[in-house]
């Protein structure tokens, strides 16, 4: 089993939809959970970060972590065409400076 | 703002050529990373460096080497380019232990085509 699994999609939704992006992980030692956003022909940029179970909100974005199920989610409310990008989950497990990345989910929000 | 720059956005090389990809960061970061990104395979770590002249293999180091002579610069070398090394190459840097978030900052990427 891979350390981090992410459905690669792609996902296409109409403008205004609620989007749910998900990752599962296998190692309970994982400590910090991140979501990166990558626009076409650009490098990934950190979007959200959390280190505990529960929800963290930032505007239209909510990051959710369930450590008991080893499941992380990113919700986008009132999605906009500008949200069209690839979203990658990333996890830091400690002991090394490496991050473990999901494969990324390509999201298209249609006007 | 943290800035990570890569020497080329697009590069076309022939099979067997030696290829250098350069990455420079301007925030005095301890760690630097080289990834390749391919459709369906995601980001895969090739090498990373946690200090000048220090390096560690990532998940797919075969066919690659790296050099870090100065803190701000990390080079990826393809000793003899092959067509299966056609990919998007992304450089990243991070603070290291000074940053509890362990956030990595990425460059814009170099799309390398080997013909």
């Amino acid at each position: 089993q891979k350390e981090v699994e992410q459905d690669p999609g792609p996902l296409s939704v109409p403008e205004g939809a609620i989007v749910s992006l998900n990752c599962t992980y296998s190692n309970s030692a994982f400590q910090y959970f991140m979501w990166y956003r990558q626009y076409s022909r650009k490098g990934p940029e950190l979007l959200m970060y959390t280190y505990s179970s529960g929800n963290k909100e930032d505007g239209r974005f909510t990051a959710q972590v369930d450590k008991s199920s080893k499941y992380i989610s990113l919700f986008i409310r009132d999605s906009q065409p500008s949200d069209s990008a690839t979203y990658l989950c990333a996890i830091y497990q400690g002991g090394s400076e490496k991050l473990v990345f999901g494969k990324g989910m390509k999201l298209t929000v249609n006007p | 703002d943290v800035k990570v720059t890569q020497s080329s956005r697009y590069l076309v090389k022939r099979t067997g050529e030696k290829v250098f990809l350069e990455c420079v960061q301007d925030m005095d970061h301890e760690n630097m990373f080289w990834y390749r990104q391919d459709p369906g395979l995601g980001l895969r770590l090739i090498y990373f460096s946690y200090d000048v002249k220090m390096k560690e293999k990532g998940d797919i180091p075969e066919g690659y080497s790296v050099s870090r002579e100065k803190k701000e610069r990390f080079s990826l070398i393809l000793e003899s380019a092959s067509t299966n090394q056609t990919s998007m190459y992304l450089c990243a840097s991070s603070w290291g232990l000074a940053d509890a978030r362990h956030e990595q900052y990425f460059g814009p990427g170099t799309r390398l085509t080997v013909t």
Side-chain angles (χ1 to χ4, degrees), chain B residues 1-58:
Chain B
D1 265 358
V2 175
K3 193 143 182 153
V4 180
T5 56
Q6 295 183 229
S7 50
S8 305
R9 293 301 306 273
Y10 300 93
L11 210 51
V12 179
K13 295 292 182 181
R14 292 195 179 274
T15 302
E17 278 193 79
K18 191 168 186 176
V19 181
F20 293 86
L21 301 182
E22 302 282 333
C23 175
V24 177
Q25 50 94 3
D26 67 357
M27 283 302 293
D28 203 35
H29 282 172
E30 300 292 329
N31 304 315
M32 297 188 75
F33 307 82
W34 274 108
Y35 297 89
R36 62 178 285 178
Q37 186 175 35
D38 301 286
L41 297 177
L43 278 173
R44 292 182 290 167
L45 182 65
I46 304 171
Y47 268 98
F48 74 101
S49 168
Y50 49 91
D51 201 351
V52 175
K53 297 190 189 294
M54 308 300 285
K55 61 187 178 185
E56 198 166 310
K57 291 180 181 178

Side-chain angles (χ1 to χ4, degrees), chain A residues 36 38 44 88 90-91 97-102, chain B residues 6 21 23 31-38 41-48 58-60 64 66 74 76 78 85 87-94 102-107 109-110:
Chain A
Y36 280 77
Q38 184 178 19
L88 302 97
I91 302 177
E97 287 305 306
K98 292 187 285 187
L99 297 178
V100 181
F101 284 90
Chain B
Q6 295 183 229
L21 301 182
C23 175
N31 304 315
M32 297 188 75
F33 307 82
W34 274 108
Y35 297 89
R36 62 178 285 178
Q37 186 175 35
D38 301 286
L41 297 177
L43 278 173
R44 292 182 290 167
L45 182 65
I46 304 171
Y47 268 98
F48 74 101
D59 301 317
I60 52 162
Y64 303 94
V66 291
F74 192 34
L76 180 69
L78 288 65
Q85 293 178 310
S87 186
M88 170 68 84
Y89 289 88
L90 287 159
C91 175
S93 67
S94 70
H102 306 277
E103 178 181 355
Q104 292 185 13
Y105 297 81
F106 285 83
T110 296

